[in-house]
C-alpha cells in the first residue's frame, strides 16, 4: 500500500495551511473586518490554497459567533 503524499503549500503541509488560515480568520474577526471583505479574501485564497481558505472561513465564523454570544450574554445580564 502506498503512503499518501501531501502537496506542499506556501505554509507547509495542508494541516499547517489550515491552521494559518484559521488564525488569520480569527484575527480578522477580532479586528472588526466586515464580512464582505472577509468573504473576498476567502474567495481569493480558494484559488491558490483551498485549505487556507477553509481555515480562514472557520476561524472568522467561529470568532464572530463567539463575539456575538458574548455581547448577547452581556446585554441580558
Amino acid at each position: 500500500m502506498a503512503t499518501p503524499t501531501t502537496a506542499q503549500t506556501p505554509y507547509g503541509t495542508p494541516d499547517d495551511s489550515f491552521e494559518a488560515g484559521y488564525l488569520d480568520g480569527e484575527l480578522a474577526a477580532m479586528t472588526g473586518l466586515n464580512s464582505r471583505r472577509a468573504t473576498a479574501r476567502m474567495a481569493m485564497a480558494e484559488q491558490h490554497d483551498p485549505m487556507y481558505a477553509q481555515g480562514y472561513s472557520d476561524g472568522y465564523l467561529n470568532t464572530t459567533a463567539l463575539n456575538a454570544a458574548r455581547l448577547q450574554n452581556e446585554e441580558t445580564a
Side-chain angles (χ1 to χ4, degrees), residues 23-48:
L23 178 62
D24 288 347
E26 286 180 319
L27 293 173
M30 286 181 203
T31 59
L33 184 71
N34 65 38
S35 62
R36 176 177 276 179
R37 295 189 95 186
T39 302
R41 288 183 183 181
M42 288 177 237
M44 288 186 286
E46 182 71 31
Q47 299 171 14
H48 302 285

Side-chain angles (χ1 to χ4, degrees), residues 2 7 10 13 15 21 23-25 27 29-31 37 41 43 45 50 52 55-56 59 61-62 68 71 73 75:
T13 64
D15 290 338
L23 178 62
D24 288 347
L27 293 173
M30 286 181 203
T31 59
R37 295 189 95 186
R41 288 183 183 181
Y52 176 88
Y56 189 94
L61 294 173
N62 183 49
L71 289 173
N73 191 26
E75 289 175 358

